[in-house]
Amino acid sequence: MLITVKGLKKIYDVGSQRIEAVAGVDLEIGKNEYVSIMGPSGSGKSTLMNILGCLDTPTEGKYYLNGSEVSNLDDDRLAYIRNREIGFVFQTFNLLPRANSLQNVELPLVYAGVSAGKRKRIAMEVLDLVGLVDRAMHRPSELSGGQRQRVAIARALVNNPSIILADEPTGNLDSKTGEELMAVFNKIHESGNTIIMVTHEENVARHSMRILRLRDGKIESDKIIN
Amino acid sequence: MTNGKSDLKRLSRGDTENSGGAIWHENFRQAINILRSHKMRSGLLIVGVAIGVTTVLAIVTVMSGLDKRVQQDILSVNKPYLIVSRFDPFAGTKDKRDLMRRKKLTSSDAEAIEDRCPTVDRVDLQVNAEGMMSVLRYGNERTNLIQVMGASHNFGYMFSFSIEKGRFFTKFEQDHKARVIVLGYGPAKDLFPHRGPIGKMIKIGTHRYKVVGTMGSRENIMGSISDNYAIIPYTIYEKDRSSKRDDYQIAITIRDGFTLEKGIEETTALLRKRRGVKPGEENNFYITTSETFKEMLGNITKYIGLVLVVISSIGLMVGGIGVMNIMLISVTERTREVGIRMAVGAKKKDILQQFLIEAVVLTGIGGIMGIILGMFAARGVAMLIHFPYSVPIIWIIIAFVFSSSIGLIFGLYPANKAAGMDPIVALRAE
Ligand SMILES: Nc1ncnc2c1ncn2[C@@H]1O[C@H](COP(=O)(O)OP(=O)(O)OP(=O)(O)O)[C@@H](O)[C@H]1O
Ligand SMILES: [Mg+2]
């Protein structure tokens, strides 16, 4: 299994209140799966994704990535895993505003210590994959929302990670642009990548193979659709 | 498509064992970027640091020039020498009255030292009366009040005062109590603005002296004051001008191959005998060397310099606080950027390094500008008060290292703040 999660909990103490954002999740996801996570607002989707993406650590439970436990790693090891194994796509794109597309896509390679020449070659290749070679020198402010998100996808892909995690990637896009973006995700999936995607839209979710529904931090249903 | 993927795989693998060079480079590039996109505030900060460095460097330069000047000026001497006087001129004022009662040194003391101390090369006897100033006249021209001192013919040899015209007086003139005079630069100019001075007869009071030579200007830091003197043979001084306030000083050079200590030993023994000091009693005279004098002066300028450097360093510290302030703003503004970098794999130390480099680049540029400005400032000051301009290279290095360290030290807190961010919180920041 690529991902194995056992008894996963994320608990927040806000004042006297105790919030179980993730309230005991067991989950297995295999290589080259394409999973959608759905559920009402506040059901813990983002919290779960952040843990799966090693941006956050669980309060309780175990998380195994590629067979090794990552739920108890220190900050530097987590950073290393984010760099090599995870590609994250955010709802709000999260591109560096002062950097152009190429530089944004290169960023994970910088922290992987790849030399400038190779970095550029790989980044251009991935930009080609998302159809943005002609926008390589543009800054995010000079791109449309769909284009920005494609730059973000290219950045997520550039280090050839084990999983692509996308938290509402179409949330800030109109439905037509959203569909175009889904085509890009489908392409990535076809080329052998594993994708986990949070979405509110059934139209987006139907592109995936499997739909997980969360409610109050727990898995409500888990269905294979394709 | 499948091809593209495997291409990626091939390219990415094997590239990643690389060192931190790529991160360094990125962080440096980033620092320059930030500097460019915040020209105003970066510029102000750089100017602040530059001013701090300028003052420190200008002061250091001026001080080291001053030090050199003092050594050159006050100790214009060809060879290290001993100086014998009645008492330590730097002794406390409390003892001074006692010390003033000591027997004066005499010309026969000087002669005895020259004759009977085998290590002694040349001896010069100087006499002048503290506070007794005279006016020199030639025709209608007259000088201000100047110091007239008596000296031996060796004075010209032992001290490297440059003769501008004519010559120093000779042993023959000294022995025959000739009324000859060597004018300092000041009186030479005052009395003979348009004529040659050599061979002219000038008057001091009722006595007439023949000018045999004039001295070059010493371009002293104290202006022309130290050019305002005239020298006559001590023999004629004793005849024409002797007074109660006369104070004698004997300068002694030592033969090559002997140490100053040996000279002190011999001279001390001789003078104790001549001046009737009983065994076990304290010397009733004082011997020092040009070296200790030099050292002492060096210490004085060093302390003044140190105080000034400390004061101007406070200015640099203010610059440092400016760095901290701007870096804190920068970190807060770029919280989200930090989150993004962490999300794609930046470690704490990478972020720390990024902000430290930014701070060091800022203060380093300020430092370089300050060094350039400081050199100009020092040059200006040096020209203004006439002394040798010299920028000690070590201080340029210190200035650069110091200003960069300020970036490092004051950048550390903001950089640490950035590095300690939680990626999730940082990503959520507006
Ligand atoms: N840092 C935090 N401190 C306290 N509570 C938090 C924190 N982060 C999330 N929560 C709580 O955890 C719960 C789950 O939040 P989460 O962001 O995972 O929801 P979500 O399913 O992604 O919702 P949405 O669809 O609106 O994005 C919410 O009730 C939220 O208030
Ligand atoms: Mg969410």
Side-chain angles (χ1 to χ4, degrees):
Chain A
M1 270 304 125
L2 182 62
I3 289 173
T4 307
V5 167
K6 280 181 188 153
L8 199 74
K9 281 192 182 176
K10 183 72 183 182
I11 299 161
Y12 293 110
D13 288 310
V14 184
S16 59
Q17 236 188 329
R18 189 180 143 96
I19 297 163
E20 292 204 358
V22 176
V25 165
D26 298 297
L27 181 64
E28 285 196 329
I29 295 172
K31 211 169 149 31
N32 202 20
E33 274 199 69
Y34 187 172
V35 183
S36 289
I37 300 178
M38 301 191 76
S41 186
S43 57
K45 305 182 294 294
S46 294
T47 309
L48 179 61
M49 287 290 268
N50 288 340
I51 294 170
L52 293 180
C54 291
L55 280 167
D56 206 354
T57 48
T59 319
E60 273 175 43
K62 304 267 187 212
Y63 171 22
Y64 300 89
L65 182 61
N66 278 322
S68 45
E69 184 173 355
V70 295
S71 32
N72 56 357
L73 295 180
D74 62 27
D75 290 336
D76 277 1
R77 297 245 170 81
L78 288 175
Y80 181 88
I81 290 174
R82 288 199 294 273
N83 188 239
R84 310 298 165 109
E85 306 292 343
I86 313 278
F88 223 111
V89 179
F90 303 90
Q91 178 177 356
T92 50
F93 320 129
N94 278 335
L95 299 173
L96 297 182
R98 272 185 302 272
N100 62 31
S101 305
L102 182 64
Q103 289 165 335
N104 265 297
V105 175
E106 277 184 28
L107 201 61
L109 296 175
V110 168
Y111 292 111
V114 180
S115 66
K118 282 174 189 167
R119 228 154 58 202
K120 189 174 174 194
R121 208 165 62 229
I122 300 170
M124 285 307 279
E125 227 172 294
V126 185
L127 274 173
D128 188 31
L129 203 77
V130 298
L132 276 181
V133 171
D134 56 337
R135 294 288 186 275
M137 296 303 150
H138 291 231
R139 289 180 174 202
S141 58
E142 298 156 353
L143 298 173
S144 73
Q147 286 169 333
R148 284 182 214 184
Q149 198 58 305
R150 278 190 278 164
V151 172
I153 292 171
R155 181 180 64 191
L157 278 174
V158 79
N159 246 353
N160 194 29
S162 304
I163 340 163
I164 306 288
L165 296 169
D167 193 349
E168 298 189 47
T170 60
N172 277 15
L173 304 174
D174 61 54
S175 55
K176 185 171 166 291
T177 315
E179 276 302 311
E180 281 166 21
L181 204 74
M182 291 324 292
V184 177
F185 275 107
N186 290 342
K187 206 159 85 170
I188 293 166
H189 177 233
E190 279 161 28
S191 68
N193 276 295
T194 311
I195 299 172
I196 305 171
M197 181 185 296
V198 170
T199 183
H200 282 293
E201 301 162 68
E202 299 290 344
N203 272 342
V204 170
R206 72 180 163 75
H207 288 277
S208 62
M209 295 157 54
R210 175 179 169 190
I211 299 180
L212 273 172
R213 287 180 199 278
L214 290 189
R215 183 174 294 277
D216 299 332
K218 290 197 176 83
I219 296 178
E220 188 184 47
S221 72
D222 183 354
K223 282 190 198 119
I224 310 283
I225 56 165
N226 287 318
Chain B
M1 196 59 263
T2 324
N3 263 345
K5 168 74 186 174
S6 60
D7 267 358
L8 285 181
K9 211 156 211 146
R10 183 173 49 75
L11 283 166
S12 309
R13 298 287 177 257
D15 272 333
T16 46
E17 81 290 345
N18 225 312
S19 67
I23 300 172
W24 255 100
H25 187 260
E26 157 75 11
N27 283 343
F28 197 77
R29 202 183 54 81
Q30 195 59 33
I32 302 294
N33 265 353
I34 291 296
L35 205 145
R36 281 222 206 99
S37 53
H38 295 292
K39 287 196 185 71
M40 187 67 179
R41 77 180 184 206
S42 305
L44 285 174
L45 181 66
I46 287 171
V47 167
V49 174
I51 289 171
V53 172
T54 302
T55 35
V56 174
L57 206 63
I59 284 170
V60 166
T61 308
V62 166
M63 286 318 293
S64 91
L66 191 70
D67 197 39
K68 267 192 197 161
R69 179 79 217 197
V70 165
Q71 306 273 354
Q72 269 176 23
D73 251 25
I74 302 180
L75 306 157
S76 333
V77 64
N78 290 328
K79 255 174 127 179
Y81 60 95
L82 303 182
I83 205 124
V84 186
S85 51
R86 273 195 301 171
F87 51 82
D88 182 356
F90 295 97
T93 44
K94 197 174 117 260
D95 315 321
K96 212 141 198 170
R97 218 171 307 150
D98 276 347
L99 295 172
M100 289 295 258
R101 274 194 222 113
R102 283 179 177 177
K103 225 168 30 173
K104 280 179 179 156
L105 292 160
T106 65
S107 51
S108 53
D109 286 331
E111 280 152 23
I113 291 169
E114 189 156 25
D115 291 346
R116 276 186 255 152
C117 294
T119 60
V120 167
D121 184 18
R122 295 199 189 209
V123 175
D124 171 51
L125 180 73
Q126 292 159 34
V127 52
N128 79 64
E130 204 183 316
M132 289 258 293
M133 312 280 268
S134 306
V135 174
L136 277 54
R137 290 173 221 274
Y138 177 76
N140 291 329
E141 312 283 0
R142 45 179 292 155
T143 64
N144 296 322
L145 284 169
I146 65 164
Q147 187 82 44
V148 177
M149 64 185 276
S152 76
H153 67 283
N154 279 333
F155 183 92
Y157 163 82
M158 286 169 62
F159 302 93
S160 58
F161 289 65
S162 63
I163 291 278
E164 192 170 71
K165 291 187 184 125
R167 58 175 174 79
F168 209 79
F169 53 78
T170 61
K171 179 158 169 36
F172 183 85
E173 284 164 333
Q174 172 190 310
D175 290 348
H176 290 82
K177 301 188 185 162
R179 286 211 171 86
V180 288
I181 191 163
V182 177
L183 299 176
Y185 185 77
K189 258 190 111 161
D190 289 347
L191 297 181
F192 303 99
H194 309 299
R195 281 160 291 204
I198 306 302
K200 302 282 175 357
M201 300 298 288
I202 60 121
K203 273 169 82 175
I204 306 175
T206 54
H207 299 294
R208 292 158 67 84
Y209 299 83
K210 190 168 90 180
V211 179
V212 293
T214 63
M215 299 290 209
S217 171
R218 297 162 73 190
E219 284 186 339
N220 196 280
I221 33 163
M222 275 85 84
S224 52
I225 291 171
S226 64
D227 282 330
N228 281 339
Y229 62 93
I231 306 171
I232 59 176
Y234 74 88
T235 46
I236 195 69
Y237 182 101
E238 286 178 330
K239 192 169 168 199
D240 290 353
R241 301 177 60 83
S242 94
S243 82
K244 272 210 162 95
R245 293 159 88 173
D246 283 347
D247 206 13
Y248 286 83
Q249 212 172 266
I250 301 171
I252 302 162
T253 56
I254 303 299
R255 276 179 214 283
D256 290 334
F258 293 98
T259 61
L260 289 173
E261 284 67 33
K262 183 80 185 125
I264 294 177
E265 218 172 274
E266 271 186 18
T267 316
T268 306
L270 182 73
L271 286 176
R272 281 178 74 91
K273 218 161 91 192
R274 288 181 60 85
R275 291 168 65 86
V277 184
K278 294 188 186 83
E281 252 178 36
E282 221 181 295
N283 289 343
N284 59 3
F285 53 92
Y286 178 77
I287 302 183
T288 186
T289 70
S290 55
E291 300 306 297
T292 55
F293 197 39
K294 215 183 240 180
E295 220 168 82
M296 198 173 59
L297 283 168
N299 278 342
I300 294 169
T301 48
K302 217 176 278 165
Y303 282 126
I304 297 172
L306 200 68
V307 168
L308 289 174
V309 166
V310 166
I311 290 170
S312 50
S313 298
I314 292 169
L316 264 181
M317 289 298 144
V318 174
I321 291 163
V323 173
M324 187 135 132
N325 185 31
I326 282 188
M327 290 309 296
L328 279 172
I329 292 170
S330 190
V331 166
T332 309
E333 272 182 1
R334 285 149 68 202
T335 302
R336 196 171 181 123
E337 175 189 327
V338 172
I340 293 170
R341 287 176 184 276
M342 284 178 160
V344 301
K347 298 191 166 93
K348 281 183 190 304
K349 69 170 167 54
D350 300 330
I351 301 294
L352 187 80
Q353 193 193 66
Q354 179 186 342
F355 284 96
L356 281 183
I357 288 177
E358 198 176 310
V360 171
V361 163
L362 278 172
T363 55
I365 292 174
I368 290 169
M369 280 176 57
I371 287 168
I372 295 166
L373 281 174
M375 275 157 65
F376 276 114
R379 179 160 228 153
V381 177
M383 260 150 66
L384 219 68
I385 54 176
H386 297 296
F387 65 76
Y389 160 79
S390 71
V391 181
I393 187 84
I394 181 76
W395 274 100
I396 291 182
I397 297 166
I398 289 174
F400 183 70
V401 171
F402 194 50
S403 53
S404 305
S405 314
I406 283 197
L408 204 62
I409 293 162
F410 288 89
L412 197 61
Y413 175 71
N416 229 331
K417 205 176 147 183
M421 283 178 185
D422 178 349
I424 297 184
V425 176
L427 278 168
R428 234 183 262 142
E430 265 324 298

